[in-house]
Amino acid sequence: MITALLSAVILNANKVDLKDSFIHNSTAYITSQCYTKTVHDENKNILSNPCFPCHSKNKIPNFSSSDSDLQEEYAFPSPALKNPWINLFKDRTKEVNKISDQEILKYIKEDNYKDKNHNIILAQKLKTIPKKWDVNENGKWDGYIPDCYFNFDKDGFDRNKKGKITGWRAFAYYPFLGTFWPTNGSTDDVLIRLPETFWKDKNGNFNLEVYKINLSIVESLLKQKTILTEKIDESKYGIDLNQDGKLDIAKKIVFKWTTPDYDISTNKLKNFSMTYVGLAQKELISNSIEIAPGLYPRGTEFLHSVRYLDITKNSNIKMSSRMKELRYAKKKYWTSYSQLQQINDEEIKDENDYPDRVEEYTGNIEVGLNNKRGWYYQGFVEDEKGNLRPQSQEETLFCIGCHSNTGSTADSTFVFQRKFENDPFSNGWYHWSQKDLKNIPDKKLPNGKTEYARYLKLNKAGDEFRANNEIIKKFFNKDMTLKENAIEKLKKDITYLIIPSKERALKLNKAYKVIVDEQSFIYGRDAHVKPVSNVHKEVTQDQSTKLQKVLN
């Protein structure tokens, strides 16, 4: 059955019809990693837990109260019981061997985002939208038109060809566990942009310092903690950012939140314990915009490029010029704590009352899909010629599940809460092209241990599928205990773990290129050469993982 399906993939995958709303895999929001076998060695009673990084104890206002329970069972609706990610079981050896090292390196070094004149190729194409991309046939593209030039200044701000700030700002962060480590197939970056209100002073004029301060305030609110900043003269803004009872020179944004008062006479909130600066402060006071711990302002945008593994002349790994994907998200409407709680309660009730009901998300390939919590997600992937094209409805459904209600998210996102703090290089506001991850120590956990080492210990591998033999050989003894000398190196430099060898990088690049050639993304986009063996082809409903859940 699997062989027949794979043959159909090869024959038909390159015929992607973006106007076709038919969904082959109605549960594409359940990732391929969720089908991983957790029994590492039944005879020795060795279990692997790749589930806890995503399905963890939540932090309010993420009301995914039972998410950590998903570590203990495959709680899938019946349409998802048979693993739909059939690309996992394909042997790509022949196709990979046909691609030479020189060929793949030449391919990934080509820029498919900007042309030689530094114009954004996709933006030019979307201005005169191809008919095959125009889903509602209104003659225009209704979604995000790429406007980031990936041209960063010393503070991580993107600037266009004329040197003007686009609003996008890059930040450095600990790559999320497993899949998003470069050693498992891709490099990536993430940028944030706040609405223009947050860029302006009280008179409505652009002010870079105002924008910097507001970004730091959002960082403090999202992380729900005090963060260090550049020196800020509080008297310029009339706001006690460090909450020491006076207007002085602040070197930190102190997180100290109390619920605002409600004025029944004006039907407005007042007396905010934390506030933005500039024009955003005025709009907050008038209740034109919102504020709350753990939530981004309405209108916040994220841009996420996913790229191949480029190799320098010194055999170092870096981000490729070529993009595999360009992912975009925008928070289009505000969802309050009570609304978020209600959404979660309704989802729990539906899961209990209708366990076989498939999740449905509104939207289309132009505007993206709505995750029910205020955010719309859309993206672009490579077509068969390597040019970026919009994702189909189903290809976008693949992205939406993780950004809905997993316990590890903060306002539906994974990375901004992992932004570096107290970083001597621009306090963490920079792009990976400006400084790489070399000599970044493993992230300290509240209990004194470190995050990546903990993941290795609990998962018994460096990826969800336990298919990264390079990491297994480097970090594990034969009895699957960790090598202490390797862990000590990891604690001082995470690249010892997350950056692959030149040989592995080349193989993973080629394996992904095969998927691009086939255009078979709806059957899985995980880069591998040999079939993945530690994955269930089918599970029973609520089948036990035999794991005891781990609470972060």
Side-chain angles (χ1 to χ4, degrees):
M1 178 65 176
I2 293 293
T3 303
L5 284 170
L6 288 173
S7 297
V9 168
I10 296 170
L11 289 171
N12 300 314
N14 62 355
K15 299 177 182 178
V16 178
D17 183 356
L18 297 180
K19 290 188 176 183
D20 184 3
S21 60
F22 176 74
I23 303 294
H24 298 82
N25 175 13
S26 61
T27 59
Y29 56 86
I30 299 174
T31 71
S32 57
Q33 287 82 4
C34 291
Y35 290 87
T36 299
K37 296 176 181 177
T38 53
V39 178
H40 187 95
D41 189 326
E42 199 153 1
N43 295 327
K44 297 180 181 179
N45 196 31
I46 297 177
L47 299 176
S48 296
N49 187 343
C51 314
F52 79 92
C54 290
H55 301 296
S56 59
K57 185 178 180 181
N58 62 301
K59 187 174 185 178
I60 303 300
N62 181 351
F63 291 98
S64 54
S65 55
S66 61
D67 191 59
S68 57
D69 294 345
L70 296 180
Q71 295 178 40
E72 298 181 321
E73 60 184 12
Y74 299 94
F76 300 160
S78 59
L81 297 179
K82 182 172 287 188
N83 190 339
W85 304 107
I86 56 178
N87 268 353
L88 290 171
F89 310 112
K90 179 182 177 184
D91 189 335
R92 299 193 180 104
T93 303
K94 288 183 180 179
E95 293 89 341
V96 166
N97 287 342
K98 290 178 182 177
I99 306 172
S100 69
D101 293 350
Q102 293 74 20
E103 184 181 352
I104 194 64
L105 285 173
K106 179 182 178 182
Y107 179 76
I108 68 171
K109 290 177 184 293
E110 293 172 348
D111 193 338
N112 63 344
Y113 183 74
K114 289 189 294 184
D115 63 23
K116 293 180 180 179
N117 295 319
H118 304 289
N119 296 310
I120 301 172
I121 300 168
L122 194 54
Q124 299 295 320
K125 191 175 290 188
L126 290 170
K127 286 179 181 177
T128 53
I129 179 174
K131 289 185 178 180
K132 61 183 179 181
W133 296 0
D134 189 7
V135 176
N136 58 10
E137 299 182 344
N138 66 349
K140 64 177 182 177
W141 178 256
D142 296 311
Y144 170 65
I145 296 178
D147 58 350
C148 177
Y149 286 79
F150 291 89
N151 175 38
F152 302 101
D153 64 20
K154 63 181 179 61
D155 295 313
F157 285 102
D158 175 57
R159 293 181 179 267
N160 65 19
K161 292 198 298 180
K162 295 181 179 179
K164 185 178 179 180
I165 282 178
T166 63
W168 291 111
R169 195 180 193 187
F171 58 91
Y173 53 90
Y174 282 99
F176 195 73
L177 303 169
T179 293
F180 282 98
W181 290 343
T183 184
N184 292 322
S186 301
T187 53
D188 68 343
D189 55 21
V190 184
L191 295 80
I192 186 172
R193 180 165 65 184
L194 300 182
E196 289 191 22
T197 297
F198 292 79
W199 312 5
K200 298 176 180 179
D201 63 21
K202 288 187 175 181
N203 297 318
N205 300 313
F206 173 78
N207 187 305
L208 186 59
E209 184 180 56
V210 166
Y211 193 19
K212 285 182 178 180
I213 296 170
N214 280 330
L215 280 164
S216 293
I217 292 169
V218 170
E219 181 182 351
S220 174
L221 284 163
L222 194 279
K223 292 179 175 179
Q224 302 185 53
K225 64 182 293 189
T226 297
I227 63 163
L228 299 181
T229 66
E230 299 175 352
K231 292 181 181 179
I232 302 170
D233 184 355
E234 294 176 333
S235 64
K236 289 172 62 177
Y237 305 101
I239 299 173
D240 185 14
L241 295 169
N242 59 12
Q243 309 232 19
D244 63 355
K246 54 188 177 182
L247 298 180
D248 54 8
I249 303 300
K251 297 180 182 178
K252 57 186 175 181
I253 306 293
V254 170
F255 178 75
K256 188 177 181 182
W257 178 265
T258 55
T259 304
D261 297 323
Y262 175 69
D263 188 336
I264 192 170
S265 65
T266 61
N267 196 32
K268 289 184 177 181
L269 297 174
K270 64 179 184 178
N271 299 329
F272 295 95
S273 56
M274 293 183 71
T275 180
Y276 308 118
V277 299
L279 185 60
Q281 182 194 15
K282 289 178 67 176
E283 295 203 2
L284 179 63
I285 292 171
S286 69
N287 285 196
S288 298
I289 61 176
E290 304 85 5
I291 190 171
L295 297 178
Y296 297 101
R298 177 166 39 93
T300 299
E301 300 167 276
F302 280 96
L303 197 62
H304 175 203
S305 78
V306 183
R307 305 175 186 239
Y308 291 86
L309 302 156
D310 199 0
I311 302 168
T312 68
K313 292 180 180 179
N314 297 324
S315 295
N316 294 321
I317 305 298
K318 68 171 187 174
M319 299 183 72
S320 67
S321 296
R322 177 174 294 278
M323 292 185 185
K324 291 181 173 182
E325 304 178 43
L326 184 65
R327 301 175 178 178
Y328 172 78
K330 184 171 184 177
K331 186 172 184 176
K332 293 190 177 182
Y333 60 89
W334 181 262
T335 312
S336 67
Y337 277 31
S338 59
Q339 289 170 324
L340 289 168
Q341 177 73 72
Q342 182 179 354
I343 291 167
N344 182 69
D345 291 346
E346 288 174 353
E347 288 183 345
I348 291 175
K349 185 177 186 303
D350 279 351
E351 288 171 8
N352 291 331
D353 294 349
Y354 310 101
D356 290 329
R357 179 177 287 176
V358 172
E359 291 280 358
E360 293 185 358
Y361 299 93
T362 60
N364 58 51
I365 72 165
E366 295 190 41
V367 300
L369 294 182
N370 179 4
N371 78 340
K372 306 177 187 179
R373 292 163 174 81
W375 292 88
Y376 278 77
Y377 289 84
Q378 69 173 107
F380 306 89
V381 293
E382 287 180 276
D383 66 17
E384 64 275 12
K385 295 181 180 179
N387 300 312
L388 291 173
R389 65 159 174 83
Q391 288 191 146
S392 69
Q393 189 95 339
E394 185 168 346
E395 289 164 346
T396 303
L397 187 60
F398 160 82
C399 303
I400 202 74
C402 293
H403 291 283
S404 292
N405 203 32
T406 52
S408 57
T409 58
D411 199 1
S412 303
T413 68
F414 282 88
V415 177
F416 195 54
Q417 61 268 38
R418 299 177 63 82
K419 176 186 170 292
F420 291 165
E421 297 172 23
N422 311 328
D423 191 294
F425 192 86
S426 198
N427 203 28
W429 291 106
Y430 61 89
H431 187 258
W432 299 126
S433 60
Q434 297 173 293
K435 181 183 178 297
D436 62 20
L437 285 154
K438 188 70 177 172
N439 297 320
I440 297 295
D442 196 1
K443 182 183 179 183
K444 282 283 184 69
L445 297 171
N447 62 5
K449 297 182 180 180
T450 58
E451 184 184 41
Y452 286 1
R454 180 186 187 223
Y455 176 80
L456 292 174
K457 181 179 180 181
L458 292 175
N459 188 37
K460 306 293 189 296
D463 67 313
E464 292 85 350
F465 302 129
R466 302 196 299 281
N468 190 328
N469 291 323
E470 192 166 273
I471 285 180
I472 290 174
K473 289 178 181 178
K474 184 186 287 188
F475 280 90
F476 291 91
N477 298 306
K478 289 184 178 179
D479 62 356
M480 298 315 297
T481 57
L482 289 166
K483 296 179 179 178
E484 291 185 11
N485 62 333
I487 293 298
E488 288 304 312
K489 291 179 181 178
L490 166 61
K491 287 180 179 179
K492 298 175 183 177
D493 184 358
I494 60 175
T495 61
Y496 185 67
L497 167 66
I498 70 172
I499 299 298
S501 66
K502 173 183 175 181
E503 293 72 25
R504 178 171 171 79
L506 287 169
K507 286 182 180 179
L508 293 175
N509 285 338
K510 294 174 185 179
Y512 187 83
K513 179 61 166 61
V514 174
I515 298 174
V516 172
D517 292 342
E518 295 175 348
Q519 291 290 285
S520 61
F521 301 113
I522 63 171
Y523 300 103
R525 56 183 88 179
D526 303 292
H528 63 87
V529 180
K530 293 291 184 181
V532 177
S533 58
N534 295 315
V535 179
H536 291 290
K537 292 183 178 179
E538 191 169 356
V539 295
T540 56
Q541 198 163 54
D542 299 329
Q543 177 179 322
S544 172
T545 63
K546 299 187 179 181
L547 296 173
Q548 183 174 355
K549 67 182 176 184
V550 174
L551 298 179
N552 287 355

